[in-house]
Amino acid sequence: MKPRGLLMIEHRLIEKMLGVVAKEAGRIRNGAAVDPLFIDAAVDFIRVYADRTHHGKEEDILFHELGRKALSAKDSATMNELVDEHRQAREKVKALVSAQERFQAGDAEAVQDIISIMGWLADFYPRHIRKEDRDFFPGTESYFSAAELDRLLGSFGDFDGKMIHEKYQSVVKGLTDRAQ
């Protein structure tokens, strides 16, 4: 498998989850109650899986290594766009957390923000993923030798191996801080 293959497999799970987010936004739009547990799970998935784990491999490994190559102006611009899109998604997730907190504090107007942000995320990710899968990954593979691609894939595996520990160290720290 090539590095883009692993990233594309992750894309399929992200797309599936954001499809569920879109359905939940529609359900709320149609009058169903906001489910804080659903929002917590969606935020956790996006923050840990889509952002820290998936975008982490892209930014910390693939894009870092591409930054050492003589990229075409188009590839360099696309890579910068992708990084900016990751930043935008992070900001939207922060806004979703804020809207949920406002909702739980009794702000009924926050429901519209929740619906809007969930819709934005559900619309954003498929477009972002298409840009990576179709426009960016295939061409940028040519900057690497077969051995470099193998090393990248190995680095992705090492990165993933650390994620479970990072996740639960964060959980324990949060619960410890809360208990004090």
Side-chain angles (χ1 to χ4, degrees):
M1 179 186 300
K2 293 183 180 180
R4 77 171 158 148
L6 179 60
L7 295 173
M8 290 171 75
I9 289 168
E10 292 174 357
H11 281 165
R12 302 299 74 83
L13 186 60
I14 294 167
E15 288 170 333
K16 186 179 237 181
M17 180 60 177
L18 272 292
V20 174
V21 168
K23 285 180 183 174
E24 184 68 9
R27 198 180 71 72
I28 298 167
R29 187 178 302 107
N30 290 329
V34 172
D35 180 354
L37 294 176
F38 177 88
I39 294 174
D40 287 345
V43 165
D44 182 70
F45 177 87
I46 295 168
R47 281 185 167 165
V48 176
Y49 188 81
D51 189 36
R52 182 66 191 117
T53 303
H54 178 75
H55 294 164
K57 281 196 280 291
E58 290 174 345
E59 292 179 8
D60 298 350
I61 300 170
L62 178 61
F63 296 176
H64 175 77
E65 291 302 317
L66 282 168
R68 296 176 170 193
K69 305 290 183 176
L71 299 182
S72 71
K74 180 181 178 228
D75 288 338
S76 182
T78 300
M79 187 167 72
N80 289 333
E81 287 172 20
L82 294 171
V83 170
D84 187 58
E85 289 173 5
H86 293 169
R87 182 197 56 75
Q88 290 174 46
R90 288 179 193 113
E91 291 301 315
K92 286 294 183 180
V93 171
K94 284 181 192 174
L96 180 58
V97 170
S98 175
Q100 177 180 346
E101 289 170 352
R102 291 189 346 262
F103 170 76
Q104 289 182 305
D107 180 358
E109 307 248 336
V111 172
Q112 290 307 310
D113 290 339
I114 290 169
I115 293 167
S116 175
I117 295 164
M118 289 171 69
W120 186 93
L121 289 165
D123 180 62
F124 162 79
Y125 269 100
R127 288 183 293 108
H128 173 77
I129 286 169
R130 260 190 314 277
K131 184 186 290 186
E132 290 179 339
D133 284 356
R134 295 180 187 169
D135 301 335
F136 189 68
F137 292 161
T140 57
E141 238 175 38
S142 65
Y143 291 106
F144 299 105
S145 68
E148 288 173 318
L149 289 171
D150 286 344
R151 278 195 298 279
L152 281 172
L153 189 58
S155 295
F156 285 1
D158 294 344
F159 189 89
D160 281 348
K162 295 174 188 171
M163 284 297 100
I164 191 76
H165 299 285
E166 183 178 299
K167 162 75 175 165
Y168 287 102
Q169 286 172 353
S170 174
V171 167
V172 170
K173 181 183 180 331
L175 292 173
T176 302
D177 291 348
R178 185 175 158 193
Q180 294 178 357

